[in-house]
DNA sequence: ATAGGAAATGAATTCCATTATCACTTGAAA
DNA sequence: TTTCAAGTGATAATGGAATTCATTTCCTAT
């Protein structure tokens, strides 16, 4: 994981941005919660829980910067918030968003043929809309 | 177009909602601007331009109701606003969102094979991300 | 090392889309 | 018509995100 930090630090330095403490701390939070979808507020809270005091504005600015550098991707679901997750260059994935419980299920993008059918089978997901973001009801929520 | 209004009115009545003046006026705006992607504010403004005075809260409430009745669909792009468009039961489509000029290009969902390639060709669109919402640069904006 | 200056930060403020509140009005069922 | 739940409108409240600006920090050149 230290190498992941190094890798990200290199991206920053290469793009002529400074290596600051807040940026390092935010990186750490992101790596510790890899796989999760965090909001700016989530990150801000976890920083405070760990006793680090970083301004919320800085969190927003840093997340935006990391997106520009392709360290993060920003996800917009159906609510007002933006969620962030670490960009994993190889395993690109999409999201199933359950309209009932708001669960987010990730699925890989191997095949585009029989795409929808296989997803419906695999996740027991009833697709009710098909807007390219997949919305519907997950196996726990549909009748 | 009068038949379209009738059709929508039937949906409302059938679901036991009242046929009120604000709802009728909003329907008209939507039909007059079919194919566009309108925000609540857009609709509110067009109502005022036409001399009709409908509260913004009512516009929001009506749009939400129309979405529930599948009269409208709500689209969330990369900015803070929601956009609404009339649901056309047959010709389902997706959106290409140009990160540079914010143009929105609609494309149909006929084939899932060679999906990306055909879209890239058809619209001269350089896909830079692949998050299921297609973001990138349109033919006017890429180099 | 250190001084200088640009970049970055933090606290507070502002912005803006959306939602909630609540008194008032209206559509339609009886 | 009368009745009253449903719907509306003005305004305030909310909440996420952006902005402002004075202060601090990182880094380069000396």
């Amino acid at each position: 994981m230290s190498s992941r930090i190094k890798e990200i630090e290199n991206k920053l330095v290469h793009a002529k941005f400074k290596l600051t403490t807040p940026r390092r701390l935010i990186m750490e939070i992101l790596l510790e919660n890899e796989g999760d979808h965090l909001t700016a507020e989530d990150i801000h809270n976890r920083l405070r829980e760990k006793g680090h005091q970083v301004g919320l504005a800085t969190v927003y600015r840093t997340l935006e910067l990391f997106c520009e550098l392709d360290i993060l991707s920003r996800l917009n679901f159906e609510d007002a918030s933006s969620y962030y997750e670490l960009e994993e260059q190889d395993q690109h994935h999409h999201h199933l968003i359950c309209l009932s419980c708001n669960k987010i299920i990730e699925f890989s993008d191997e095949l585009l043929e029989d795409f929808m059918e296989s997803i419906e089978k695999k996740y027991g997901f009833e697709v009710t809309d098909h807007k390219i973001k997949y919305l519907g009801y997950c196996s726990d929520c549909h009748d």
Side-chain angles (χ1 to χ4, degrees), chain A:
Chain A
M1 62 190 78
S2 177
S3 68
R4 292 291 303 278
I5 291 196
K6 275 278 167 356
E7 188 190 320
I8 296 175
E9 287 184 351
N10 285 341
K11 277 198 182 181
L12 267 180
V13 172
H14 188 260
K16 305 225 196 311
F17 292 102
K18 289 182 182 166
L19 235 56
T20 66
T21 308
R23 285 174 184 164
R24 243 186 274 262
L25 291 171
I26 290 169
M27 267 181 232
E28 281 171 21
I29 297 291
L30 291 169
L31 287 169
E32 283 165 17
N33 295 280
E34 182 140 29
D36 288 3
H37 306 111
L38 302 173
T39 64
E41 200 102 30
D42 289 338
I43 291 165
H44 188 238
N45 287 339
R46 299 201 185 182
L47 285 168
R48 291 202 309 160
E49 280 163 20
K50 295 176 78 179
H52 300 120
Q53 198 252 327
V54 176
L56 184 55
T58 298
V59 175
Y60 276 108
R61 281 185 290 234
T62 303
L63 294 175
E64 192 190 351
L65 176 63
F66 285 5
C67 283
E68 277 163 22
L69 297 178
D70 288 321
I71 292 166
L72 283 183
S73 45
R74 180 203 312 255
L75 308 174
N76 293 103
F77 301 129
E78 298 303 294
D79 63 356
S81 307
S82 289
Y83 296 82
Y84 298 84
E85 65 176 10
L86 282 172
E87 189 73 63
E88 292 167 86
Q89 45 275 59
D90 34 324
Q91 33 196 348
H92 202 79
H93 60 264
H94 301 301
H95 299 88
L96 298 175
I97 307 158
C98 180
L99 295 171
S100 176
C101 67
N102 295 313
K103 193 189 301 135
I104 304 215
I105 301 168
E106 300 182 351
F107 65 93
S108 69
D109 183 21
E110 285 147 19
L111 38 110
L112 291 172
E113 297 101 320
D114 305 300
F115 190 39
M116 196 160 59
E117 287 90 338
S118 66
I119 272 109
E120 287 190 313
K121 255 181 252 156
K122 191 168 180 183
Y123 294 103
F125 201 96
E126 180 194 357
V127 178
T128 60
D129 199 350
H130 178 253
K131 205 184 293 179
I132 272 237
K133 274 188 296 186
Y134 285 87
L135 308 173
Y137 297 98
C138 71
S139 51
D140 295 339
C141 293
H142 73 66
D143 40 306

